[in-house]
Amino acid sequence: MADVDGQVHRGHKTTKAGRGSREKKKAKNDKKNGNLKDRHNPRAFSVANIVRTQRNVQRNSDRAQKKEYVPLKDRRASSATESPPSLVAVVGPPGVGKSTLIRSLVKIYSNHNLTNPTGPITVCTSKQKRITLLECPNTPTAMLDVAKTADLVLLCVDAKFGFEMESFEFLNMMQTHGFPKVMGVFTHLDQFKTMKNLRKTKKLLKHRFWTEIYDGAKMFYFSGCVNGKYLKHEVKQLTLLLSRVKYRPLVWRNTHPYVVVDRHEDITHPSKIEEDEKCERSVAFYGYVRGTNLKEGMKVHLIGVGDYSMSEVNALPDPCPVVDKDKEQKTLVNKDTKLYAPLSNVGAVQFDKDAVYIDIGRANYTKKENLDLPKKEGENEDDGSDGESSSSSEEEDIDMDAPAGLLKSLQDVKEGVDQKMKYSSLRLFKGSKAVKASEDDEEDGQATDKDQKRRPVDDAFELANSFRRRFDGGDVEQENSGSDSDSSDDDSSDDDDSASDDDSRNSDAEEEDEEGEAGYSDDESGSDSEDEEMEEEEEKQTWKTNIAQQAAKNYLRRDRSITNLQQLVYGESTLTNSNLVSDEEENDLGNDDDEGSDDEFFTLRNKSKQTSSDSSRGEAGQSVINDIQLGEMDSSRKMPSGAPGIAFGVEAWLEEGENCLIESIRDKFVTGNWGGNGDGEEGRAEEFDDFEDLEAGEKYGPNGEVLEDSDDDEDEATAGMSDAQLREFNAKKKAAQKTGFDDDYDESKKGNVGKPGDEQAENEYVEALKREKEARLKRNEEEFGIDGESSRLRFEGFRQGIYCRVRIDGIPAEFIDSFDPTMPLVIGGLTPQETERGLVRCRFKKHRWHKKILKCNDPLVFSIGWRRFQSIPVFSTEDQNGRYRYLKYTPEHMHCQATFYGPQAPPNTGILAIQRLTGNIPGFRISATGVVLELDASSKVVKKLKLVGTPTKIYKTTAFISGMFNSDLEVSRFEGASIRTVSGLRGQVKKSLREGQPGSFRATFEDKILLSDIVFCRTWVPVEIKQYYNPVTSLLCKSGAEGWRAMKPKAQLHVETETPIEVNPDSIYKPIERKERTFNKLRVPKSVESNLPFKSKHKDDTKRKTKSYASKRAVVMDAEEKKKYTFVQAVNTIRNEKKAKRRVKNAERRDAKAKEQAKSDERLDAARKARKRAQHRSDGKVEAARERKRIRG
């Protein structure tokens, strides 16, 4: 054995002696001689314990079966940039530190100090993640809204005080409406004096918290505050887990869209408010779309207000976007940190549908002319051009594109927009007269002769051409450096004037038309007094500077970014930039443009420039074919005639001959000659190109032959590509091949399921289905990307994560007047089924912590889905025969059925019932919980009714009954019904009687009844469900749910009005007094008794008149018996004497012990009273503190 250096080492010796060596030698010899037996013991590899093995196999199969599930689509997990910010709700009773926790988190994330956190606060936590912090007020309505929308709940608990009732109420609300992630935050730990009490309290709190949530729920301990915020390292532990938490998909949120409103705005016309202050308002709500897609025309429920239809939905820029992926950065620097809290007075930029509002706050920039700067030598103060030069130099220093330049221009505005509109002017086209708002309609209609001759088409061409020249050629000032003197005029002009000035500077002076020169010269010279005044007023409007250049860039950027469906279907339009006619080329066309139609907006440029009037008829037709451009945008329009090579008339289509226009395209149609035109196969190959079947992926030649892909095609496709483009092409090709392989593999796996017991085949089949579903979802996402964002929003709706603006009309004015920014505002989408009302049957159970049982027909406030409303439930229970029997009260510890009238909800939707939303209610406020079972238009609840009657005549098994019915018609309806007596005899209704009391009938029984028997008939009558629906409009009252008027139960009305309860005398339970009935003795005849056996005969002894012998005889004792009797009496006397003495001693001993016990009891009672007094004093303090908190909250 040699190592790396080549040195040979001594190897291990093989075994040559011993039992192993001997067995090997023997096996080798037997194998050589052919005597080796192949022994295989089947029991050596069998199972040791069959029962245990069966259990293991069953357990493994059960575990594998549990893994096979239909995965619920998590609509949040598509992309971090597309998903909305996670809603983190901070919940807890008053005084536990909710606001302090939000301020600490905002400080960690954005380094911003919030004084009063109000409403939703959105912050960027990392480069690809955002969260929205929301503080939950201590009201039932707010806690219900937060439980329905929160993705993560931070449950704040005062560790010194312990868990309070509000925390358990909120946990029950979350359990009903879908349980999100919950983390515990325990505060006020610095108030514990000893570490022993702190550890003991932590253990108790953890045990209780894990009991309510689940074992292992995350908990955070905050010891104290520094400068109004929690300790930094403790808050960072919480932020670390917030960045890693994964949210579970909830069914209700995965099937319903909703918007947590960040802010809202009243956009009602002021004139309507002036006419009627209480008129219905139009309100715009802003927020992120969450859940599913929000589609236009969908009905929504504004929680706390009512159901409405969305009048308009628009997508807006994200006010708090995540960091762009294209930027190469590894950390989130401070300048990129985002914070959006509109209700907390944070953020100076607000985006609207058509405007952006900037609040400059206290920012103010001082002008140079107001600064006391030392002047240079030789500077003439009296020079008239000094002001112009200073203003021009100041304008040169200010970069209007920078934020500082925009703010400087904003602070110079002295007047409002409505005042400026009075003297504002607008120039539609270059060379046209500026229209002033103060001029009359007659003056607006006047124009110069030159302006009338000039067509709007020329101005439109000029404007569009200038836009494209700016975008393609760069800045105008870089192209024409000699036009720097005109920059000051551009800054003071309006939008259209600046655009026309830019066009005039880009074009040469010789090629401009007279109208353009006149318009430009008027603006420069200021010969017209009106134009001078207009320019003086426009110079004040510095906010309009450079708007034309920005508008041109924005126009071309939008034009190139928006995908046009018409171009994808019909191809690129031939009316491109090369077909537009500018001012320079317009003069080359002659004066025929003036004679054209004014309806024309663009003209085509003649590419060939080869027209001859003395050419032949065929050559002219061929030239027309070559010159005419049949684009999608201009092929169906009438072109102006007169210009050579541009006229588009009917003459070319009316020509006849072999080389005419119609004959050249005849063979392109079905009626043409497809067999050949004399040019042979080569001509047909040129005429009909290759055809590719996009669905099958095959290519066909001109004669229908199938063409195979070759490397030449790939070389032609990759010819002229750069390295980056070539890599992208290869990546796409590789992805296509991998997709095809996966599809074939999945199909083979789905086709080969195998035997039912084949576990591997079943797992492969499930995995293939999952991959197919993921690929289908990916194809759907990519398909909408072809049509552009606008088409995707139109067909697919507004996806989750889009910041949208929802306008709702018809909202009451009380919503604006009584808006509370601390209350959450949620817009929930409704399905068509949920907009209808009907009877809802649910499984219902009174909460075990609620003090009283619930009574039927007492109003309850239900929370189902997005809605909160008050209705009247009817309780019932289902019997074995399927009958829903009416219940007057809810059972104590079991479920029952509840039926009420209200908006329909899908089955398995959680229900939560609260008896009262207003007032300080001691104890647990949640009355009951349940789940929706079914929806129906009619009720199946029935109530038991007993019809009672008395017999009037009895004939053996037949009796006449009266008092049960009121008429013969009722009797005829109940013929054949079963009846029963109190003693248990069964019977049946037969016929009505003509005589006697109306409603009397004849009945038969299984035995003879008595006149004292009571006959009753058991019937079932349907119970009517009261159609009462009262939505909880808590946001329309200034005091919230306290101002909402609800129906009160009868018991509450009796207490409030101090009205005594009406007592029905028949309903009072009275002691039952029944007369004891005496029955005669049973007399058996002697003839019958004599034939009976002895054990059945009567054995009563008769009373003797004389005494018997045994009672009359006397007992006489002899001497020996008397001696024994006397001895026994003496012994008993001695024993009785000892017992008497012992009894006296015990009595004395008990008296002494009682005295000692009384003294010790007196001492113990005194100590017990002192201890109870201290305990009651501490309990009173705790109860007073809770009462103060309840009053404050």
Side-chain angles (χ1 to χ4, degrees):
M1 183 177 181
D3 58 1
V4 180
D5 299 334
Q7 184 178 0
V8 179
H9 299 279
R10 186 174 181 181
H12 293 284
K13 293 182 178 180
T14 59
T15 304
K16 297 182 179 179
R19 180 181 177 183
S21 178
R22 289 195 300 269
E23 289 181 353
K24 286 183 180 180
K25 288 181 181 179
K26 183 179 179 181
K28 185 177 180 181
N29 294 331
D30 291 344
K31 185 177 181 180
K32 184 177 180 181
N33 300 329
N35 299 327
L36 182 64
K37 298 180 179 180
D38 188 8
R39 295 182 180 180
H40 177 68
N41 186 9
R43 297 186 57 84
F45 301 96
S46 62
V47 220
N49 194 332
I50 299 178
V51 178
R52 185 190 308 158
T53 307
Q54 289 179 348
R55 290 176 181 175
N56 290 336
V57 171
Q58 184 66 30
R59 178 175 175 271
N60 294 334
S61 61
D62 291 343
R63 291 181 61 186
Q65 188 68 26
K66 288 181 181 179
K67 295 179 182 179
E68 298 176 1
Y69 64 97
V70 178
L72 183 61
K73 170 65 177 175
D74 188 4
R75 301 183 185 274
R76 297 179 47 86
S78 58
S79 175
T81 58
E82 295 180 0
S83 61
S86 302
L87 186 59
V88 179
V90 183
V91 186
V96 296
K98 300 189 294 295
S99 302
T100 307
L101 178 59
I102 293 178
R103 285 196 297 266
S104 304
L105 290 174
V106 172
K107 179 65 176 179
I108 290 291
Y109 285 131
S110 63
N111 199 20
H112 190 93
N113 293 316
L114 280 181
T115 56
N116 186 18
T118 306
I121 301 171
T122 304
V123 292
C124 285
T125 60
S126 62
K127 292 191 292 184
Q128 294 295 329
K129 192 172 183 180
R130 303 165 294 177
I131 63 172
T132 298
L133 299 172
L134 180 63
E135 181 180 353
C136 178
N138 188 31
T139 59
T141 55
M143 288 193 291
L144 283 171
D145 295 341
V146 170
K148 297 173 185 178
T149 57
D151 299 316
L152 174 65
V153 174
L154 299 179
L155 190 62
C156 297
V157 179
D158 187 353
K160 184 65 177 177
F161 192 81
F163 285 99
E164 300 187 42
M165 196 64 69
E166 290 84 352
S167 302
F168 294 110
E169 289 176 351
F170 185 76
L171 290 176
N172 280 269
M173 292 177 184
M174 288 192 299
Q175 288 173 354
T176 303
H177 297 293
F179 210 103
K181 288 282 186 177
V182 181
M183 297 182 185
V185 177
F186 297 92
T187 59
H188 298 83
L189 296 179
D190 54 341
Q191 297 182 3
F192 288 92
K193 297 181 179 179
T194 60
M195 290 299 297
K196 182 179 180 180
N197 291 338
L198 179 59
R199 287 193 299 268
K200 183 178 180 181
T201 305
K202 281 185 177 181
K203 185 177 181 180
L204 293 175
L205 291 176
K206 183 182 73 171
H207 177 70
R208 182 61 179 170
F209 189 72
W210 284 9
T211 303
E212 292 296 328
I213 312 297
Y214 59 87
D215 290 343
K218 297 297 181 182
M219 302 170 61
F220 299 92
Y221 302 98
F222 288 172
S223 57
C225 294
V226 177
N227 297 328
K229 299 179 181 63
Y230 293 118
L231 300 182
K232 192 173 182 180
H233 67 278
E234 295 176 348
V235 181
K236 279 194 172 182
Q237 292 179 357
L238 177 59
T239 59
L240 182 63
L241 198 61
L242 286 178
S243 61
R244 297 176 179 177
V245 66
K246 295 182 180 180
Y247 307 104
R248 64 183 69 176
L250 303 179
V251 177
W252 179 265
R253 303 180 196 178
N254 267 355
T255 55
H256 293 77
Y258 63 98
V259 176
V260 179
V261 178
D262 292 334
R263 64 184 181 93
H264 71 278
E265 189 176 336
D266 186 7
I267 57 176
T268 311
H269 199 277
S271 61
K272 293 183 179 180
I273 302 177
E274 291 178 359
E275 294 175 0
D276 184 11
E277 293 183 355
K278 298 297 182 180
C279 66
E280 294 183 345
R281 307 296 179 87
S282 296
V283 184
F285 300 94
Y286 302 85
Y288 291 95
V289 178
R290 305 170 190 267
T292 58
N293 297 344
L294 182 67
K295 298 182 180 180
E296 296 183 359
M298 176 184 290
K299 282 203 170 187
V300 295
H301 178 76
L302 186 58
I303 301 182
V305 181
D307 295 350
Y308 295 96
S309 297
M310 296 184 296
S311 302
E312 187 181 4
V313 186
N314 303 104
L316 297 180
D318 197 336
C320 187
V322 295
V323 182
D324 191 2
K325 290 183 178 180
D326 298 336
K327 296 182 180 179
E328 295 183 358
Q329 53 183 0
K330 297 182 179 179
T331 58
L332 185 67
V333 295
N334 291 332
K335 65 179 181 180
D336 293 332
T337 304
K338 300 295 183 181
L339 173 64
Y340 180 65
L343 297 181
S344 301
N345 296 326
V346 177
V349 181
Q350 293 182 357
F351 296 90
D352 202 351
K353 176 185 176 184
D354 52 359
V356 179
Y357 300 97
I358 302 176
D359 183 13
I360 61 175
R362 298 182 180 179
N364 195 6
Y365 293 88
T366 306
K367 297 181 180 180
K368 288 185 177 181
E369 59 187 15
N370 297 332
L371 297 175
D372 189 10
L373 298 175
K375 298 183 179 180
K376 298 179 181 180
E377 296 181 358
E379 185 176 6
N380 188 7
E381 297 180 357
D382 298 334
D383 192 2
S385 62
D386 186 23
E388 298 178 358
S389 62
S390 63
S391 62
S392 62
S393 62
E394 183 179 354
E395 291 175 357
E396 290 178 358
D397 295 339
I398 298 175
D399 185 9
M400 300 310 297
D401 294 335
L406 180 59
L407 293 180
K408 289 180 181 179
S409 61
L410 286 175
Q411 74 180 11
D412 291 336
V413 178
K414 304 298 182 183
E415 299 175 351
V417 180
D418 53 349
Q419 297 180 1
K420 291 184 179 182
M421 290 298 294
K422 296 180 180 179
Y423 50 78
S424 62
S425 61
L426 178 64
R427 191 186 302 274
L428 295 176
F429 300 103
K430 176 183 176 182
S432 62
K433 184 179 179 181
V435 180
K436 294 184 177 181
S438 60
E439 293 181 355
D440 297 333
D441 296 338
E442 296 179 358
E443 296 179 358
D444 295 341
Q446 295 177 358
T448 58
D449 296 339
K450 295 181 179 180
D451 293 337
Q452 293 177 356
K453 293 181 181 179
R454 181 174 178 84
R455 296 181 302 153
V457 181
D458 304 333
D459 297 322
F461 269 114
E462 187 174 355
L463 181 61
N465 204 12
S466 64
F467 282 176
R468 296 189 181 277
R469 283 200 303 271
R470 284 182 202 171
F471 191 85
D472 298 335
D475 195 0
V476 178
E477 295 180 2
Q478 295 178 2
E479 294 180 0
N480 299 328
S481 59
S483 60
D484 294 337
S485 60
D486 301 332
S487 61
S488 62
D489 296 331
D490 291 340
D491 297 337
S492 63
S493 60
D494 55 1
D495 299 349
D496 300 320
D497 197 8
S498 62
S500 61
D501 293 342
D502 294 336
D503 293 341
S504 61
R505 287 196 299 271
N506 288 331
S507 60
D508 296 334
E510 295 89 14
E511 297 179 355
E512 289 182 350
D513 55 356
E514 296 178 357
E515 293 83 11
E517 291 176 356
Y520 187 80
S521 62
D522 291 340
D523 296 337
E524 291 293 336
S525 62
S527 59
D528 192 357
S529 61
E530 295 180 356
D531 293 340
E532 291 178 357
E533 296 176 359
M534 181 184 66
E535 290 177 1
E536 293 176 359
E537 297 295 337
E538 290 174 351
E539 287 178 358
K540 299 179 181 179
Q541 305 176 8
T542 57
W543 58 278
K544 298 181 180 180
T545 56
N546 292 338
I547 292 184
Q549 291 84 346
Q550 297 296 332
K553 294 179 180 179
N554 294 335
Y555 161 72
L556 292 176
R557 189 180 297 111
R558 289 195 305 270
D559 188 21
R560 297 187 178 185
S561 63
I562 297 176
T563 305
N564 192 356
L565 284 175
Q566 295 177 345
Q567 292 182 1
L568 294 176
V569 176
Y570 299 104
E572 293 288 340
S573 174
T574 55
L575 188 60
T576 56
N577 190 18
S578 60
N579 301 119
L580 296 175
V581 180
S582 60
D583 295 339
E584 299 88 339
E585 298 169 347
E586 190 175 353
N587 297 329
D588 299 338
L589 299 178
N591 298 327
D592 295 336
D593 293 341
D594 297 335
E595 298 176 2
S597 174
D598 290 340
D599 297 337
E600 193 61 30
F601 201 73
F602 292 110
T603 56
L604 291 174
R605 179 186 301 168
N606 188 6
K607 292 183 178 180
S608 59
K609 298 281 180 103
Q610 297 176 0
T611 56
S612 58
S613 58
D614 34 321
S615 60
S616 61
R617 188 74 171 174
E619 295 175 356
Q622 189 66 28
S623 64
V624 170
I625 295 173
N626 296 331
D627 292 337
I628 291 178
Q629 301 291 337
L630 296 177
E632 187 271 330
M633 298 296 292
D634 58 350
S635 60
S636 61
R637 302 181 58 177
K638 183 179 178 181
M639 301 298 293
S641 60
I646 298 179
F648 187 81
V650 192
E651 294 81 3
W653 299 97
L654 297 177
E655 295 178 357
E656 296 179 357
E658 296 181 356
N659 297 327
C660 64
L661 182 60
I662 295 179
E663 293 294 334
S664 63
I665 64 174
R666 182 179 298 276
D667 294 338
K668 302 293 184 181
F669 297 92
V670 181
T671 57
N673 184 13
W674 286 22
N677 51 0
D679 296 335
E681 298 295 333
E682 298 178 357
R684 282 190 294 167
E686 294 177 358
E687 186 174 356
F688 300 104
D689 204 352
D690 295 343
F691 169 72
E692 180 179 0
D693 189 356
L694 297 179
E695 295 182 357
E698 298 178 352
K699 293 184 178 180
Y700 299 90
N703 297 328
E705 65 275 8
V706 179
L707 299 180
E708 297 181 356
D709 295 337
S710 60
D711 297 337
D712 297 338
D713 297 338
E714 184 176 353
D715 296 340
E716 292 178 0
T718 56
M721 289 186 179
S722 60
D723 294 340
Q725 294 176 350
L726 189 60
R727 283 194 295 269
E728 184 179 0
F729 175 79
N730 294 332
K732 290 182 179 179
K733 182 179 178 182
K734 184 177 181 181
Q737 292 177 353
K738 185 179 182 302
T739 304
F741 174 76
D742 292 341
D743 294 341
D744 297 340
Y745 180 78
D746 293 343
E747 291 296 332
S748 62
K749 290 300 180 183
K750 288 194 296 183
N752 186 17
V753 179
K755 299 180 180 179
D758 193 353
E759 182 179 357
Q760 182 178 2
E762 292 178 358
N763 294 337
E764 291 178 353
Y765 180 75
V766 173
E767 293 297 330
L769 291 179
K770 290 182 180 180
R771 285 196 299 270
E772 183 180 359
K773 182 178 180 180
E774 293 175 358
R776 184 167 61 253
L777 294 176
K778 187 176 181 181
R779 285 199 305 271
N780 292 339
E781 294 179 358
E782 294 176 353
E783 186 69 22
F784 276 113
I786 301 175
D787 294 337
E789 185 67 18
S790 59
S791 298
R792 184 176 185 182
L793 293 177
R794 183 169 62 254
F795 291 104
E796 190 182 25
F798 292 83
R799 303 179 305 279
Q800 52 102 17
I802 295 180
Y803 194 81
C804 68
R805 172 184 182 268
V806 180
R807 180 171 66 87
I808 299 178
D809 298 334
I811 293 182
E814 290 79 7
F815 173 76
I816 304 297
D817 300 336
S818 60
F819 175 70
D820 186 5
T822 60
M823 298 295 292
L825 188 58
V826 182
I827 300 176
L830 301 176
T831 60
Q833 178 193 15
E834 296 170 2
T835 57
E836 303 293 335
R837 296 179 189 173
L839 297 181
V840 181
R841 187 172 67 86
C842 59
R843 185 169 61 246
F844 209 65
K845 184 180 180 182
K846 184 192 76 70
H847 203 281
R848 65 184 185 275
W849 290 346
H850 196 260
K851 292 184 177 180
K852 298 180 180 180
I853 61 175
L854 304 178
K855 185 179 179 181
C856 186
N857 288 328
D858 273 356
L860 291 176
V861 177
F862 293 95
S863 174
I864 306 176
W866 303 122
R867 291 187 174 94
R868 294 190 299 268
F869 58 92
Q870 189 182 37
S871 186
I872 298 177
V874 174
F875 304 131
S876 61
T877 182
E878 186 176 1
D879 294 334
Q880 293 181 355
N881 56 1
R883 181 193 299 119
Y884 296 102
R885 179 165 48 87
Y886 172 87
L887 295 178
K888 192 174 182 180
Y889 299 97
T890 55
E892 194 67 30
H893 300 290
M894 60 181 294
H895 287 86
C896 67
Q897 309 285 337
T899 308
F900 57 89
Y901 176 79
Q904 296 183 355
N908 295 328
T909 303
I911 297 178
L912 187 135
I914 300 176
Q915 201 165 30
R916 289 174 57 189
L917 289 176
T918 59
N920 292 326
I921 305 171
F924 202 71
R925 288 178 287 187
I926 297 177
S927 302
T929 57
V931 63
V932 176
L933 295 180
E934 68 173 1
L935 310 173
D936 202 346
S938 60
S939 172
K940 300 178 183 178
V941 181
V942 291
K943 186 176 182 180
K944 182 172 62 175
L945 178 63
K946 284 186 178 181
L947 303 178
V948 181
T950 56
T952 56
K953 292 183 181 181
I954 300 173
Y955 302 97
K956 293 186 179 180
T957 59
T958 302
F960 293 164
I961 311 297
S962 63
M964 185 175 292
F965 302 109
N966 296 324
S967 63
D968 296 342
L969 181 62
E970 294 182 3
V971 175
S972 63
R973 188 169 183 179
F974 279 85
E975 286 182 0
S978 61
I979 55 178
R980 189 179 179 185
T981 63
V982 177
S983 58
L985 295 177
R986 295 171 294 181
Q988 189 178 18
V989 178
K990 291 299 183 181
K991 288 287 185 180
S992 63
L993 300 177
R994 298 180 181 179
E995 300 177 355
Q997 184 180 353
S1000 300
F1001 63 93
R1002 179 174 58 89
T1004 58
F1005 295 90
E1006 58 186 359
D1007 198 359
K1008 186 178 179 180
I1009 65 173
L1010 302 177
L1011 286 174
S1012 60
D1013 283 337
I1014 297 176
V1015 183
F1016 62 90
C1017 178
R1018 297 182 61 183
T1019 59
W1020 299 94
V1021 293
V1023 178
E1024 182 183 1
I1025 309 297
K1026 298 178 181 179
Q1027 295 187 0
Y1028 173 72
Y1029 171 73
N1030 183 14
V1032 180
T1033 56
S1034 57
L1035 295 183
L1036 300 183
C1037 307
K1038 291 186 178 180
S1039 56
E1042 298 287 341
W1044 171 66
R1045 188 173 182 180
M1047 177 186 288
K1048 298 179 181 179
K1050 188 177 179 181
Q1052 184 180 355
L1053 292 176
H1054 281 295
V1055 173
E1056 292 179 356
T1057 59
E1058 298 181 356
T1059 305
I1061 301 175
E1062 298 178 359
V1063 178
N1064 187 5
D1066 295 337
S1067 300
I1068 297 177
Y1069 291 99
K1070 301 176 183 179
I1072 301 175
E1073 296 179 357
R1074 292 190 178 94
K1075 295 181 181 180
E1076 186 177 356
R1077 301 182 62 180
T1078 59
F1079 298 94
N1080 296 329
K1081 290 185 178 181
L1082 180 63
R1083 296 185 180 273
V1084 182
K1086 292 184 178 181
S1087 60
V1088 176
E1089 186 178 1
S1090 61
N1091 296 328
L1092 292 176
F1094 177 76
K1095 64 178 181 180
S1096 300
K1097 289 182 179 180
H1098 195 64
K1099 301 179 179 61
D1100 292 339
D1101 294 336
T1102 59
K1103 186 177 181 181
R1104 290 178 176 269
K1105 294 181 180 180
T1106 58
K1107 294 183 179 181
S1108 62
Y1109 167 76
S1111 62
K1112 290 190 298 181
R1113 70 180 180 178
V1115 179
V1116 180
M1117 295 183 294
D1118 55 2
E1120 188 68 23
E1121 290 178 351
K1122 285 184 179 180
K1123 187 177 179 180
K1124 293 180 180 178
Y1125 181 74
T1126 304
F1127 179 75
V1128 171
Q1129 282 184 339
V1131 172
N1132 289 336
T1133 303
I1134 295 172
R1135 187 182 60 183
N1136 294 335
E1137 186 67 20
K1138 289 182 178 179
K1139 283 185 177 179
K1141 291 181 181 180
R1142 194 181 297 115
R1143 192 180 303 112
V1144 173
K1145 289 290 183 181
N1146 290 338
E1148 293 177 357
R1149 193 183 301 110
R1150 283 196 299 269
D1151 292 342
K1153 189 175 181 180
K1155 292 180 181 179
E1156 295 179 359
Q1157 186 68 26
K1159 292 180 182 179
S1160 63
D1161 291 343
E1162 186 178 357
R1163 292 193 298 269
L1164 290 175
D1165 290 340
R1168 191 180 296 110
K1169 288 181 181 180
R1171 187 166 57 254
K1172 283 187 177 181
R1173 194 181 300 111
Q1175 181 67 26
H1176 291 327
R1177 188 183 296 110
S1178 62
D1179 293 345
K1181 291 181 180 180
V1182 172
E1183 187 66 27
R1186 289 182 178 176
E1187 188 66 24
R1188 287 197 298 271
K1189 279 192 175 183
R1190 188 180 295 108
I1191 293 174
R1192 287 199 305 269

